[in-house]
Amino acid sequence: MGASLMEVKRRIVSTKKTGQITGAMQVVSTAKLSQIQRHTQSYQIYASKIRSVITHLAQSHLLDAKAGNAKQSSEDGSSKFSGFDMLQKRPVKKSGYLIITSDRGLVGSYNSNVIKQSLDLMKQNGCTVDNTVIIAVGGTGADFFKNRGYDVAYEHRGVSDIPTFIEVREIVRSMVTMYNSEVYDELFVCYNHFVNSLQSDFHSEQMLPISEVNLDTDSEGIEVPNAMGNEDYDMEPSGYAILEVVLPQFAESLVYGAILDAKTAEHASSSTAMKSATDNAKDIISSLELTYNRARQSAITTEITEITGATAALE
């Protein structure tokens, strides 16, 4: 009985320590969630403005890819890569998927949901290991697809808890370079969209080539109203020169917005998972303490009975 009591007591102490750790992790994740939500709100203003500019130019018929490339070639006589290359559509031989996961566990069903839903989307689009290229942001996704034989053409690990715009530029540059080099002919982004602290939904969006579908809806699939109207306006420099600069920024805004959204969902999922773990630890401790007290009471009762019996025998 003594050994059993000691074992229960050790489990109580161990579970309390685990609960303290998960409780601290919950506090940290909640703090990170609060910080990134404030950051995301300010960024959404920029993303909305650049989408508005691109949409306005599209409605002014300035997003004709052939016309844009012809204009660019006539101005500098070169065939170098330009922002207009992101508008070029071609027959799809290989599809690219930018999949955003976390680098670590302890985030509940966050990673498994993204991976499962991404695989379902690939299957729906007729993608296989042979005709699919993976761009992985996050170690969990990168390792998963590598282990299953997929071509992981690019991976980025160690995204900051509050991602910066500079981090995204390298990812966008690699994405566009691979698209221009025909590593893939279309690109989708897949990630968990933050709804609230208790819910996140899988979201996917075609990013390349840029089309009016990308422009007419925001990152949550909501139609973007045309607040600027359809009137003509003067531009300096030319509309093509403006698009040359704005199109890459638009691609950057899409990727950065997706990573911010995914990181927000990750922190929320981590906070929820750690809260659940802490609550479970409390329940286990309560059950173990009840078991310990019952065993201790039983041991004391047994000792009293033995003493009483011995006393009676002496008399």
Side-chain angles (χ1 to χ4, degrees):
M1 182 64 70
S4 178
L5 282 174
M6 290 299 297
E7 177 63 27
V8 173
K9 194 169 184 178
R10 279 196 293 268
R11 288 186 63 190
I12 291 173
V13 172
S14 174
T15 306
K16 282 183 177 180
K17 290 180 179 179
T18 302
Q20 290 172 349
I21 294 171
T22 56
M25 293 177 69
Q26 178 194 347
V27 172
V28 172
S29 295
T30 302
K32 290 178 180 178
L33 175 61
S34 179
Q35 292 176 2
I36 199 170
Q37 281 183 298
R38 290 195 298 269
H39 187 74
T40 301
Q41 288 173 355
S42 61
Y43 170 74
Q44 285 174 344
I45 298 174
Y46 165 80
S48 175
K49 292 296 183 183
I50 194 157
R51 187 182 291 270
S52 178
V53 170
I54 295 286
T55 302
H56 196 182
L57 294 175
Q59 291 169 343
S60 300
H61 308 293
L62 293 176
L63 279 183
D64 187 313
K66 293 182 180 179
N69 284 327
K71 179 73 175 180
Q72 180 71 17
S73 298
S74 64
E75 286 180 352
D76 58 20
S78 68
S79 58
K80 65 180 181 180
F81 169 76
S82 73
F84 291 100
D85 291 324
M86 289 186 287
L87 302 172
Q88 292 293 331
K89 294 182 180 180
R90 54 180 180 257
V92 178
K93 298 177 182 177
K94 283 196 173 184
S95 297
Y97 286 84
L98 169 61
I99 299 177
I100 305 173
T101 60
S102 70
D103 289 310
R104 59 182 179 83
L106 303 178
V107 288
S109 61
Y110 174 84
N111 290 317
S112 60
N113 182 58
V114 173
I115 293 172
K116 180 182 180 300
Q117 297 282 3
S118 297
L119 290 172
D120 290 343
L121 177 63
M122 293 177 194
K123 183 177 180 181
Q124 179 182 336
N125 292 341
C127 297
T128 64
V129 173
D130 297 324
N131 64 6
T132 304
V133 177
I134 301 297
I135 297 176
V137 175
T140 302
D143 294 338
F144 177 89
F145 287 100
K146 278 182 178 179
N147 292 337
R148 282 155 183 80
Y150 283 87
D151 177 14
V152 180
Y154 178 89
E155 62 178 281
H156 184 91
R157 300 173 186 251
V159 176
S160 303
D161 291 326
I162 313 297
T164 62
F165 199 80
I166 295 176
E167 289 182 75
V168 173
R169 285 183 173 174
E170 177 188 350
I171 302 173
V172 176
R173 188 179 299 114
S174 299
M175 281 169 32
V176 174
T177 299
M178 285 189 284
Y179 180 73
N180 190 47
S181 303
E182 300 187 6
V183 174
Y184 46 76
D185 305 296
E186 62 180 359
L187 178 66
F188 296 86
V189 59
C190 303
Y191 62 97
N192 267 340
H193 162 63
F194 174 77
V195 178
N196 54 51
S197 58
L198 298 176
Q199 179 185 355
S200 60
D201 296 332
F202 176 76
H203 183 76
S204 63
E205 180 180 4
Q206 183 173 343
M207 304 194 72
L208 291 174
I210 295 175
S211 66
E212 292 189 6
V213 174
N214 307 71
L215 301 172
D216 290 340
T217 58
D218 63 12
S219 60
E220 299 179 27
I222 300 174
E223 186 175 348
V224 178
N226 177 22
M228 303 177 76
N230 293 319
E231 70 277 0
D232 293 331
Y233 57 96
D234 295 329
M235 291 172 289
E236 182 63 33
S238 67
Y240 298 105
I242 292 174
L243 283 174
E244 178 71 19
V245 175
V246 175
L247 280 172
Q249 291 182 4
F250 176 66
E252 289 174 352
S253 74
L254 287 178
V255 178
Y256 185 52
I259 292 177
L260 270 181
D261 198 358
K263 267 293 179 181
T264 306
E266 178 187 335
H267 293 323
S269 182
S270 176
S271 177
T272 301
M274 291 303 99
K275 182 180 185 304
S276 178
T278 303
D279 292 341
N280 288 339
K282 291 178 180 177
D283 291 340
I284 292 172
I285 290 170
S286 178
S287 177
L288 287 173
E289 286 179 340
L290 181 60
T291 300
Y292 177 81
N293 290 334
R294 283 178 175 173
R296 188 164 177 269
Q297 183 179 6
S298 177
I300 293 173
T301 302
T302 301
E303 289 177 3
I304 292 175
T305 302
E306 291 175 350
I307 292 172
T308 303
T311 303
L314 290 173
E315 292 177 354

